[in-house]
Amino acid sequence: MSTTQAGSTVFEVPVIDISPYTGDGTAEERARVAEEMDRACSTVGFVQILGHAVPDDVWRGLGEAVDDFFGQSLEEKKTYVAQGNRGYSPPKSESLSLSLGIEAASRMNDFFEAFNVGTEARSFAGLGLSEDDYGINVWPDIDGFRPKVEEYFAHAARVARVLTTVFADALSTPSDFFEYLTDHSVDVLRMNNYALPEGTVTLDGDLTGMGEHTDFGLVTVLWADQVAGLQVLGRDGVWHDVSPIDGALLINLGDLTARLTNDRWMSTLHRVKPPIVNGTIQRRRSVAFFHDGNIDATIETLPSHLDSDNGLAYEPITVREHIAAKLAGSRQGKANTSAVREAARVRAAARTEQ
């Protein structure tokens, strides 16, 4: 898919068929996919993938579960607010731009609502992991919700791990390179809803569906409606509209992959601007699977990429430290002061829009 905006060139989100990795692809076919992935990650950082092998009935079940949960009253949904990065997040309880240290027009301004589930410490028996790091799921008392969500979660996790194998090949590292970073990964599935009851938000020029941000971890697998709203910041410094083609999952890189590659593969800045038709916000749903890595893993730039950003390099950081700083911004209103490179790109784009 491609878009054009005034003053910008054609913006392309590459489409890659990863079936050689999900099926019985030859070495040559996998090498071609890895080369395509390297080119896409080096230029755009957002990819559409086909051949992911997620069955249609699993997609339908996920959509039904999302509709069933968000179709409840706000009072019912608020009974599932939980501690940490789990459970329900009501409208205007977050401001994603603060995860980059960017002050929003008003704090906690994002009008989306969300529901999160993810891996728990008990998912990895024998490792002595803490629920403070992983969170504890709360499950709505809605018929069929949990099995539908868990089935999609399992497929999204599989796709994420296929992608890290592709990444390893694309970066000329051993194919199992990411396993030591992800064998007890903090994985979170976030279901988002952008159409809220009348009176919940004010339709004005400052309305933010989801503020500009980068994702925290290694890779994000995104299921989304084909409804306008998602925008990606291109390397031209312009925000471009993105929506998935039929049957595709959207993939974007996270901060930790950017750190590994010293920004040769850049953590993709994105935001959601709600489509407003005749004064009404159009319904939009998305479900993001965040593959964030082991909470105790240390992320440092690959030796092969130390010279990728004019000799600069990221300082090593643990996944725990990085996620804590990002969540303190988006959830607690504490601007993240460590996202220097990302914040600079957002500010440059803002000047372009003026």
Side-chain angles (χ1 to χ4, degrees):
M1 113 333 117
S2 64
T3 74
T4 57
Q5 292 189 8
S8 70
T9 57
V10 173
F11 177 77
E12 300 276 354
V13 176
V15 179
I16 299 178
D17 184 342
I18 64 168
S19 55
Y21 279 86
T22 57
D24 296 325
T26 65
E28 291 77 13
E29 290 171 333
R30 289 190 172 204
R32 173 183 51 76
V33 171
E35 182 180 354
E36 291 175 357
M37 187 66 71
D38 182 50
R39 185 163 54 251
C41 293
S42 299
T43 57
V44 180
F46 242 75
V47 185
Q48 305 204 56
I49 61 166
L50 300 171
H52 44 69
V54 179
D56 289 345
D57 63 330
V58 173
W59 280 29
R60 284 193 297 271
L62 176 67
E64 291 165 359
V66 170
D67 290 345
D68 287 344
F69 179 79
F70 290 118
Q72 300 178 106
S73 69
L74 183 60
E75 290 71 24
E76 290 173 311
K77 288 178 285 192
K78 281 185 174 180
T79 64
Y80 298 105
V81 172
Q83 296 297 315
N85 198 22
R86 297 291 186 273
Y88 179 61
S89 294
K92 293 195 173 185
S93 63
E94 300 189 35
S95 184
L96 268 292
S97 63
L98 283 168
S99 69
L100 299 180
I102 302 293
E103 293 286 345
S106 62
R107 298 169 84 83
M108 301 310 166
N109 193 49
D110 295 358
F111 84 79
F112 74 95
E113 57 180 347
F115 187 81
N116 288 6
V117 299
T119 51
E120 299 175 313
R122 72 186 88 179
S123 305
F124 309 103
L127 296 185
L129 301 172
S130 172
E131 296 291 3
D132 291 338
D133 289 324
Y134 285 79
I136 299 176
N137 291 323
V138 294
W139 291 100
D141 185 19
I142 298 173
D143 186 42
F145 179 89
R146 181 169 181 173
K148 290 173 182 175
V149 170
E150 287 184 328
E151 187 170 17
Y152 179 78
F153 188 102
H155 277 282
R158 172 188 56 76
V159 171
R161 284 163 173 77
V162 169
L163 288 168
T164 55
T165 301
V166 179
F167 291 173
D169 290 347
L171 294 169
S172 299
T173 61
S175 291
D176 62 353
F177 169 77
F178 282 90
E179 289 187 14
Y180 88 99
L181 295 175
T182 59
D183 60 4
H184 50 280
S185 179
V186 178
D187 291 342
V188 174
L189 188 75
R190 161 159 277 206
M191 292 159 268
N192 302 304
N193 184 50
Y194 293 90
L196 305 177
E198 185 178 354
T200 302
V201 296
T202 301
L203 299 180
D204 58 34
D206 294 326
L207 184 63
T208 301
M210 184 179 286
E212 52 272 283
H213 66 284
T214 56
D215 291 343
F216 305 173
L218 295 168
V219 63
T220 301
V221 178
L222 181 69
W223 172 94
D225 283 332
Q226 292 174 315
V227 175
L230 176 63
Q231 295 183 333
V232 173
L233 184 63
R235 295 211 176 195
D236 57 1
V238 175
W239 290 99
H240 299 273
D241 297 320
V242 173
S243 62
I245 63 173
D246 291 345
L249 289 168
L250 288 169
I251 305 301
N252 66 277
L253 305 178
D255 298 337
L256 300 182
T257 301
R259 284 176 171 269
L260 286 170
T261 64
N262 205 19
D263 276 350
R264 188 173 77 83
W265 287 9
M266 198 173 286
S267 183
T268 320
L269 277 157
H270 51 288
R271 66 186 183 186
V272 175
K273 289 292 186 181
I276 300 174
V277 180
N278 296 325
T280 301
I281 301 171
Q282 193 173 358
R283 176 81 193 280
R284 184 178 186 277
R285 305 167 300 170
S286 68
V287 179
F289 179 88
F290 303 110
H291 190 43
D292 288 348
N294 299 341
I295 197 72
D296 51 359
T298 297
I299 305 297
E300 52 189 329
T301 301
L302 293 166
S304 58
H305 286 69
L306 287 174
D307 294 329
S308 292
D309 193 16
N310 298 318
L312 299 175
Y314 285 99
E315 291 294 324
I317 193 170
T318 65
V319 173
R320 177 186 290 110
E321 292 167 334
H322 179 68
I323 290 178
K326 299 281 278 196
L327 286 177
S330 64
R331 294 289 185 88
Q332 301 168 31
K334 301 175 183 177
N336 180 9
T337 59
S338 64
V340 177
R341 301 191 199 189
E342 299 94 331
R345 284 188 277 146
V346 172
R347 293 189 177 103
R351 289 193 293 271
T352 300
E353 288 183 310
Q354 293 174 352

